[in-house]
Amino acid sequence: MRSDSRAPLGLTLGAAAGLLFLHVPILLIFLYAFTTEERTYQFPPPGLTLKWFAVAWNRADIWPPLYLSLQVAAISTALALVLGTLVAAAMSRAKFFGRDQISLLILLPIALPGIITGMSLRSAFDVMGIPFSTWTIVLGHATFCIVIVFNNAVARFRRLSGSIVEASLDLGANGFQTFRHVILPNLGSALLAGGMLAFALSFDEVIVTTFTAGQQSTLPIWMLNELVRPRQRPVTNVVAIVVFVTTFVPVLAAYYLTRGGSETAGGGK
């Protein structure tokens, strides 16, 4: 007797409705990046054009926020890769009193609402007399980027058998050689995926940036300001497409990189 593996019709329709609810607004942004109308969202659009891409390219006020967003995301990701990996190694290999509670504290920044994190950081910078700059934005973003890298790295560390490290040391490798030739190859895809996710989250972060940027403007902040005081709405939609692609590609790559994460040396032994 052959079993029917197809999902019930109601479940299929519900899944389709959920996907439409999530993605139709994004598709509308894409559509209105090509509209000939500058200020209204008439549906269907009166016409389609590519001129807004050229207008966006020539808008001088877009490039500084874009460069700042890329700079902040790159530095925050680099910090997260170093600190997140070190914390993951300590939490996965060492056993000490209160380890679970410390793990909770590490995960807390990404679990808290962004407005709480932003307000806390702003208050801390004010108390310490730290002027708002690119580095205050980086510190704000690093609080949740470290968690992203930590989650990926600690999961891979826990699947990595400690016996291969002991075997490497027994064969005469020093600590650096063991890390380079044994640990890093097994962690590589997890760290790369965590770094890509951290970069994507940092690039499009709005709430924490609002509290830590001072007078500076990242690309998402620029978009928010343009929506409040619209001049050329299709240009904002064009920039939204750029942000979407810049964040979607790393997330998709991270997904494919971590699909085979269980295939680590000594995994399960």
Side-chain angles (χ1 to χ4, degrees):
M1 188 172 87
R2 189 176 66 181
S3 61
D4 190 357
S5 60
R6 292 179 298 178
L9 179 61
L11 183 60
T12 302
L13 293 176
L19 289 174
L20 288 174
F21 177 78
L22 291 171
H23 295 102
V24 165
I26 299 176
L27 295 177
L28 288 176
I29 289 176
F30 282 32
L31 175 63
Y32 284 104
F34 298 92
T35 183
T36 56
E37 185 61 44
E38 182 174 337
R39 291 188 177 274
T40 63
Y41 286 116
Q42 178 183 344
F43 188 85
L48 299 177
T49 179
L50 292 173
K51 74 172 184 177
W52 300 114
F53 287 83
V55 173
W57 181 268
N58 293 314
R59 282 274 295 267
D61 58 323
I62 294 176
W63 294 102
L66 174 60
Y67 292 147
L68 180 60
S69 291
L70 291 173
Q71 180 184 6
V72 168
I75 299 174
S76 300
T77 301
L79 285 175
L81 284 171
V82 175
L83 298 178
T85 304
L86 293 175
V87 173
M91 299 302 296
S92 62
R93 295 300 180 188
K95 294 182 179 180
F96 52 88
F97 176 76
R99 187 176 69 165
D100 294 338
Q101 288 73 20
I102 293 178
S103 296
L104 177 61
L105 291 176
I106 294 171
L107 299 175
L108 198 58
I110 203 169
L112 288 173
I115 191 170
I116 301 299
T117 302
M119 290 174 61
S120 303
L121 288 168
R122 188 178 185 91
S123 299
F125 294 149
D126 285 338
V127 169
M128 292 184 288
I130 299 176
F132 294 104
S133 64
T134 301
W135 290 106
T136 57
I137 307 176
V138 168
L139 292 175
H141 288 199
T143 57
F144 56 83
C145 288
I146 289 174
V147 181
I148 300 298
V149 175
F150 169 80
N151 279 337
N152 279 2
V154 77
R156 187 63 60 86
F157 266 120
R158 288 171 179 168
R159 288 196 295 265
L160 184 64
S161 174
S163 60
I164 64 171
V165 176
E166 296 173 0
S168 174
L169 297 175
D170 288 342
L171 292 172
N174 57 35
F176 177 77
Q177 291 172 326
T178 299
F179 176 78
R180 178 184 175 187
H181 297 291
V182 178
I183 298 177
L184 190 58
N186 284 285
L187 289 180
S189 61
L191 294 181
L192 185 58
M196 288 179 171
L197 288 173
F199 182 91
L201 287 177
S202 175
F203 185 82
D204 67 1
E205 168 59 36
V206 175
I207 300 176
V208 173
T209 309
T210 302
F211 287 92
T212 58
Q215 299 300 317
Q216 298 184 97
S217 176
T218 60
L219 195 60
I221 298 296
W222 179 90
M223 292 172 60
L224 184 62
N225 292 333
E226 286 294 308
L227 290 174
V228 174
R229 299 184 295 274
R231 289 185 291 170
Q232 296 172 320
R233 284 178 175 172
V235 172
T236 308
N237 293 331
V238 169
V239 176
I241 293 177
V242 174
V243 173
F244 175 85
V245 172
T246 307
T247 54
F248 176 76
V249 172
V251 171
L252 183 64
Y255 166 74
Y256 282 105
L257 284 170
T258 54
R259 283 198 306 174
S262 59
E263 299 174 3
T264 56
K269 297 181 182 179

